[in-house]
Amino acid sequence: LRFDEKVRVVVFKSEVKGVFCAGADLKEREKMDDAEVGQFVRKLRNLMDEIAALPVPTIAAIDGYALGGGLELALACDLRVAASSAKMGLIETTRGLLPGAGGTQRLPRCVGIGLAKELIFTGRQIDGQQAFSMGLVNHSVPQNSEGDAAYQRALALAKEILPQAPFAVKMGKLAINRGMEVDIASGMAIEGMCYAQNIPTRDRQEGMAAFREKRPPRFIGK
């Protein structure tokens, strides 16, 4: 996905009705020794980092349970859409664990430190509407009879992104992600570098021409 220039948006959904991702298989985990558990969690954390580093926008379509590592997968995405009936939570403390695939870092960046601590300390599960009210998901939608309401809303969101200039969207994502980790002056410098890369693109010239000629732009990602 990272190197396929035809990919413009990635939507993560489940093929299992009622479950986005239920997290790690604790029965499997129980058979591992301490060293194997550490290695497993490191690989999982690296996977989430790779998902977060994808250059194109990513959307998690949460149509059911997203627990533990399942919510960490959703947090690694740029945008999240949930059915109002979905259940989400970093439930690790209820199993004698703590989030180990990015949850302790991405959740507070998403909802703030106080709420993140409350959710992680209690292991509480929340529904899609509660997640929306605290900013954990971008949209909460009523579940439909097919059980894929979040996926359908995620597709609609992806279709809003698709017409926009691909390289500009990628640079926007990069500027936001890098800028959020530094002070605002450094962030402005990062924005400036990303903008500078966008200036010579054919898509920027096309966008200006389309505006001048009062027609829809035809972006090619170059």
Side-chain angles (χ1 to χ4, degrees), residues 129-205:
Q129 191 56 45
Q130 291 171 307
F132 174 72
S133 69
M134 62 179 63
L136 178 54
V137 300
N138 297 73
H139 302 277
S140 175
V141 292
Q143 188 55 278
N144 59 26
S145 57
E146 289 76 25
D148 68 347
Y151 175 57
Q152 294 303 325
R153 183 66 184 88
L155 282 182
L157 189 53
K159 288 174 182 175
E160 281 190 75
I161 297 170
L162 283 177
Q164 316 316 326
F167 189 75
V169 170
K170 289 180 181 180
M171 287 296 101
K173 173 173 176 171
L174 184 64
I176 293 168
N177 285 353
R178 294 288 182 266
M180 286 299 293
E181 304 305 320
V182 299
D183 64 272
I184 193 165
S186 301
M188 292 297 185
I190 290 168
E191 180 184 276
M193 288 186 285
C194 290
Y195 199 97
Q197 290 183 62
N198 193 71
I199 289 174
T201 62
R202 289 163 62 184
D203 278 353
R204 188 186 74 86
Q205 296 166 355

Side-chain angles (χ1 to χ4, degrees), residues 75 80 102-113 116 180-181:
L75 284 165
R80 285 159 292 284
T104 64
Q105 302 306 303
R106 292 194 174 99
L107 186 62
R109 284 168 167 79
C110 185
V111 302
I113 293 173
M180 286 299 293
E181 304 305 320

Side-chain angles (χ1 to χ4, degrees), residues 48-67:
M48 300 309 177
D49 287 345
E50 294 233 358
I51 290 169
L54 282 171
V56 297
T58 54
I59 308 172
I62 308 168
D63 272 309
Y65 287 95
L67 303 175

Side-chain angles (χ1 to χ4, degrees), residues 8 26 42 45 84 91 118-119 123 155 159 169-171 173 178 200 222:
R8 303 275 293 277
L26 294 184
R42 278 193 298 274
R45 190 181 303 118
S84 54
I91 62 170
E118 181 176 337
L119 291 173
L155 282 182
K159 288 174 182 175
V169 170
K170 289 180 181 180
M171 287 296 101
K173 173 173 176 171
R178 294 288 182 266
K222 302 289 184 183

